[in-house]
Amino acid sequence: MHLAMSTTEIFLLAMLIIFTLPYLIWRVGETDYYAPLVVVQIITGILLGPGILGRAFPDYYQFVFNPAVIQSLNGIAWWAVMLFVMIAGIELDLGSAWKHRRESTITASLALGTPLVFGCVAAAGMLMYPGWIGPKGMTWQFVVGVGMACAVTALPILILLMEKLDILRQPLGQRILRYASLDDVAIWGVLAIIMLDWERVGRQAGFLAAFAISTVLFRKMMARLQERDRWYVSLIWLAACGFAADWAGLHFMVGAFLAGVVMEASWFNQEKLDLFRHHVLLAIMPVFFLSTGLKTNWAVGGATVFIAAGVLLAASVSGKLVGVQLAGKILKWGKGEASIIGWLLQTKALIMIIFVNILLDKGIITSETFTALLLMAVGSTMLTVPVTYPKLRRLSGGLLTRHAGPAGAQTARAMPSGGK
C-alpha cells in the first residue's frame, strides 16, 4: 500500500492528521480553559515529532513525514508564519504607547528586562553542560537568545486570551497591549542584533537603507489606494521584505515583522483584520505547528530536557512577575493589579516559538534547547487563563475601568462564565 501512494496522497494524509487530531483533542477533551486550540496544535506538533511518534512508530513516521512531504509542509509553514508576523506588526499600537510613554516605558522595560536577566542566568547555567549551544552559536548569542526567549510576550496570543477573558477592549486590556507592543519592538530589535553577520554587514546595511527609502514610497502609495487594493499590495510588500531580509542575512521573519510594523492598522477595517488573523490561525498556521514539532529532539535525555524546560519556565514567569511588581510599586498601582498584568504578559506561545525557530535555523541553539524552550512556551501559555481569570473576577469591581480617561465612566463587562 505504501509503495502505491503518491507524494500528493501522502501530503494530504499528513494534512488530514494535522487538522483532525488537534481538533478532536480540543473539542472532545474540552481543553479550552487550560489549553486553547492553538496550544493544543503546538502540543500535537510535538507529539507528532521524531522524539515521540518517530520513536514509537519509526516506519510510519518515515513514511508519512518523508523528505518530499516535509519540504512541501515547510513551504506552507514559512508563508503562514510570515503572514502571522506581519499581522502582529500591523497591530502594534506605538502611538498609544507614546501618549502614555512614562507608564508604558517603565512597565515595558521592567517587564522585558527582568525576565531577560533571569533567562540569561538560566542560559549561562545550561552552558555548563554539553548539547545545548548550536554549532554556529557564539556564547553571547546563546545567552542573549535564550534570555530573550524567556522575556518574550506573545502579542497575537495575548490578544486571543484577552478576548477570551473579555478585557481586550477594556482600559486594562489596552494598557497591557501598550506594554506588549513596546516589548515586541525590542524583541525583534534584539533578534536583528543577534542575527548580524559581520561577513555580510554591508549587505545588511544596504537592506536597511533600501527598506527605509522603500517604506516612505510604500506608505505614500498605500494611503492613496482603496482598502481592497491595500490587502493585495500588502502581500506583495510582505514577500519583497521577507526576500530582501533573508538575502541580507537577517532572516525572512525579521523582514516580515518590518513589513507589518510600517503599516497602519487604520488602513484596514478592524473586523476584517481580526478575521484575517483568525483565518490564518485556522487554515495554515497548524502546518507551522507541525513543522515546529518535527524539529524537537530529546537526544540529551528526555528527563534532562524537561528539567531544562522547568528551569526556563521558572525564570520566565518569576522574572516577568518580579519586573511588573517593581513597575507597579514605582507607578503606585492598586493591590493585585501587577499580578494580573504580569501573568498576562508572561504568555509565550507563538512569538517565542517563531523566535527560537530562527535561532535553531541559524545554528545558535540545538534542537534539544529548542525542545526545552518549546515546552516552556506551552507551559507558560497554559498557565495564563487559569491563573488570571480568578484574579480578574476578584478585582473586576474597579480594576477594569481604572485609567480609562474620558471613557472612564464605562462599566466593566462581566467575565465570561466558566472562563470559556
Side-chain angles (χ1 to χ4, degrees):
M1 175 183 173
H2 289 183
L3 295 176
M5 294 184 71
S6 67
T7 299
T8 302
E9 291 168 339
I10 300 173
F11 169 80
L12 292 174
L13 178 61
M15 293 292 283
L16 180 65
I17 296 171
I18 290 169
F19 283 95
T20 303
L21 192 56
Y23 177 77
L24 290 177
I25 294 172
W26 174 66
R27 180 53 69 199
V28 176
E30 297 183 348
T31 68
D32 202 41
Y33 183 62
Y34 297 96
L37 179 57
V38 62
V39 175
V40 175
Q41 289 168 333
I42 295 169
I43 295 172
T44 305
I46 297 173
L47 295 175
L48 293 175
I52 298 178
L53 179 67
R55 182 171 296 180
F57 304 101
D59 292 339
Y60 174 77
Y61 177 83
Q62 292 171 10
F63 166 66
V64 176
F65 300 113
N66 61 65
V69 171
I70 289 177
Q71 185 176 12
S72 300
L73 293 173
N74 282 342
I76 297 173
W78 293 339
W79 185 243
V81 78
M82 286 179 69
L83 287 170
F84 199 82
V85 170
M86 181 190 72
I87 296 168
I90 294 173
E91 290 179 330
L92 289 182
D93 190 0
L94 299 180
S96 178
W98 176 250
K99 291 178 183 177
H100 305 85
R101 50 189 173 275
R102 179 178 178 271
E103 175 201 359
S104 298
T105 302
I106 290 172
T107 306
S109 299
L110 289 169
L112 184 74
T114 310
L116 172 61
V117 172
F118 283 29
C120 286
V121 172
M126 293 172 70
L127 284 174
M128 298 172 63
Y129 304 92
W132 301 109
I133 187 168
K136 298 180 181 178
M138 291 184 284
T139 299
W140 75 269
Q141 289 178 312
F142 177 84
V143 171
V144 174
V146 172
M148 185 55 74
C150 291
V152 166
T153 294
L155 181 60
I157 299 304
L158 178 62
I159 290 172
L160 294 177
L161 296 182
M162 288 200 295
E163 282 180 339
K164 175 189 293 292
L165 293 168
D166 205 19
I167 62 170
L168 178 60
R169 305 303 174 191
Q170 298 296 328
L172 174 65
Q174 294 303 298
R175 287 170 56 203
I176 293 171
L177 285 183
R178 292 200 301 270
Y179 311 148
S181 295
L182 287 179
D183 284 350
D184 217 20
V185 173
I187 288 160
W188 290 99
V190 170
L191 179 63
I193 293 173
I194 294 174
M195 293 293 105
L196 277 178
D197 183 347
W198 294 106
E199 294 180 0
R200 291 195 285 181
V201 68
R203 183 182 290 189
Q204 292 171 344
F207 160 73
L208 293 175
F211 177 77
I213 296 170
S214 301
T215 294
V216 175
L217 300 175
F218 170 74
R219 287 176 59 85
K220 287 182 178 180
M221 179 184 65
M222 288 288 278
R224 295 174 181 173
L225 293 175
Q226 296 182 4
E227 184 185 358
R228 65 181 182 183
D229 293 313
R230 289 172 182 166
W231 286 102
Y232 199 91
V233 172
S234 67
L235 299 181
I236 298 173
W237 173 246
L238 171 62
C241 290
F243 167 77
D246 209 66
W247 171 83
L250 288 175
H251 203 277
F252 63 85
M253 222 72 81
V254 175
F257 177 75
L258 290 174
V261 81
V262 300
M263 285 193 264
E264 300 288 344
S266 59
W267 290 345
F268 307 95
N269 178 278
Q270 185 61 53
E271 290 185 5
K272 290 181 180 178
L273 191 61
D274 290 340
L275 278 175
F276 185 44
R277 172 166 35 83
H278 285 298
H279 289 159
V280 170
L281 271 172
L282 172 70
I284 52 179
M285 280 301 286
V287 179
F288 170 72
F289 301 140
L290 185 277
S291 68
T292 295
L294 296 181
K295 297 177 183 178
T296 55
N297 197 319
W298 315 82
V300 297
T304 306
V305 171
F306 276 102
I307 291 170
V311 171
L312 292 168
L313 178 62
S316 171
V317 174
S318 62
K320 192 71 74 172
L321 295 177
V322 169
V324 176
Q325 286 288 347
L326 289 173
K329 290 184 182 299
I330 294 171
L331 298 169
K332 298 180 171 31
W333 291 345
K335 182 180 179 181
E337 196 168 349
S339 178
I340 290 172
I341 294 173
W343 276 105
L344 285 168
L345 288 178
Q346 65 82 43
T347 300
K348 294 285 180 292
L350 279 184
I351 295 300
M352 197 220 75
I353 294 171
I354 293 167
F355 183 88
V356 297
N357 259 288
I358 297 173
L359 298 182
L360 180 63
D361 289 345
K362 293 296 183 178
I364 295 171
I365 62 174
T366 62
S367 53
E368 291 84 2
T369 305
F370 176 82
T371 303
L373 288 167
L374 188 61
L375 293 173
M376 181 266 278
V378 170
S380 165
T381 308
M382 290 181 68
L383 285 170
T384 303
V385 171
V387 173
T388 305
Y389 174 63
K391 293 177 180 290
L392 273 171
R393 188 166 59 177
R394 287 195 297 270
L395 295 180
S396 61
L399 178 58
L400 298 184
T401 54
R402 191 175 297 142
H403 303 286
Q410 66 181 314
T411 303
R413 290 179 290 177
M415 293 297 298
S417 175
K420 299 289 185 184

